Amino acid sequence: MSGSAHKKRLAILISGRGSNMRALLDAVYNPLAPVPVTTAEVVAVISNRADAAGLGIAQQFGVATINHPSQGVARDVYDAELHRILTDLRVDLVCLAGFMRILSEKLVLDWAGKMVNIHPSLLPNYKGLDTHARVLANGGVEHGCTTHFVTPGMDEGPIILQAACPVLPGDTPDTLGGRVLALEHQIYPETVQLFCQDRLRIKNGRVEILDLPAVKN
Ligand code: GRF
């Protein structure tokens, strides 16, 4: 195992279908996955919605699921409990994967450098929702996705990895979104693998990707 003495303990936060969560679980638990994550275990998949389809997928992987419903709960109360859950589980990295709830500044700062997100655009372009439709409405010729560390500003944290694809004639939000989603499923596991190998450093608000240490004979 490179870098750290123990497997990194991941928590994945979802609200819905969980395709990025599935890509991460596959990367961690299937050695033949296209981008394996070799030094991690997923200690919980946490959803703020009991009906999130991703919860069933996580259970198929044998991963613990936690239903932490958010409807009608004040943000500070919700986030304090979320912080307690993550701390009790000794989580090293929180992966937001379609978690459709804004987190409080306090929680984000408490997990600074230990919380990542995936966003379906080439940040800093197209922060927020409905990115595929907005790219098409603007006549964009290129689109993509970004992984980044989470900071208090929405979709603003230091960028880790990006992947781009062309916008094709006749694209709809669905066709374009499908092409972007396939890229998300590649760069999210790559991002988590880099974190688990201790290869990500934030310096002056930017991410540096460190080389793997040379193998000693
Ligand atoms: C993805 O497009 C992701 O980039 C965004 O929310 C969507 C979640 O999709 N943050 P899924 O639940 O991972 O399929």
Side-chain angles (χ1 to χ4, degrees):
M1 198 183 299
S2 74
S4 65
H6 76 285
K7 285 190 173 190
K8 304 282 190 205
R9 296 170 64 82
L10 313 182
I12 307 175
L13 272 56
I14 65 168
S15 299
R17 69 185 163 181
S19 73
N20 278 288
M21 176 212 70
R22 182 199 288 272
L24 292 177
L25 291 175
D26 200 41
V28 171
Y29 293 113
N30 174 7
L32 299 179
V35 187
V37 173
T38 50
T39 54
E41 59 185 314
V42 179
V43 295
V45 166
I46 302 171
S47 176
N48 69 320
R49 294 183 53 126
D51 61 355
L55 289 172
I57 300 170
Q59 284 155 8
Q60 286 167 15
F61 275 84
V63 168
T65 57
I66 297 174
N67 179 27
H68 181 34
S70 57
Q71 199 174 18
V73 184
R75 195 172 310 286
D76 57 340
V77 174
Y78 186 84
D79 285 2
E81 177 64 6
L82 183 55
H83 180 69
R84 187 195 63 73
I85 292 169
L86 296 170
T87 304
D88 284 357
L89 286 168
R90 293 179 286 113
V91 166
D92 295 304
L93 180 67
V94 181
C95 302
L96 305 183
F99 187 67
M100 301 302 287
R101 184 174 167 94
I102 293 172
L103 296 169
S104 60
E105 182 167 323
K106 177 170 183 350
L107 185 81
V108 169
L109 293 178
D110 281 343
W111 289 86
K114 295 182 288 186
M115 183 181 279
V116 291
N117 182 40
I118 184 139
H119 181 75
S121 80
L122 294 170
L123 292 173
N125 298 326
Y126 299 101
K127 296 171 184 169
L129 298 174
D130 300 324
T131 57
H132 314 311
R134 287 157 57 208
V135 167
L136 290 173
N138 284 344
V141 296
E142 189 181 53
H143 191 26
C145 52
T146 303
T147 56
H148 63 94
F149 282 106
V150 177
T151 57
M154 193 179 63
D155 302 327
E156 277 187 356
I159 289 171
I160 305 169
L161 293 179
Q162 294 189 303
C165 61
V167 177
L168 299 179
D171 257 339
T172 64
D174 279 352
T175 59
L176 180 56
R179 206 174 303 123
V180 171
L181 194 62
L183 296 174
E184 294 182 36
H185 298 163
Q186 293 173 25
I187 68 165
Y188 215 175
E190 284 173 16
T191 298
V192 170
Q193 172 75 338
L194 287 170
F195 181 92
C196 292
Q197 292 174 319
D198 293 320
R199 294 175 62 194
L200 298 177
R201 291 277 177 280
I202 304 174
K203 198 170 169 188
N204 301 325
R206 286 175 183 266
V207 172
E208 289 180 352
I209 298 179
L210 309 179
D211 289 337
L212 272 176
V215 179
K216 294 191 185 112
N217 289 320

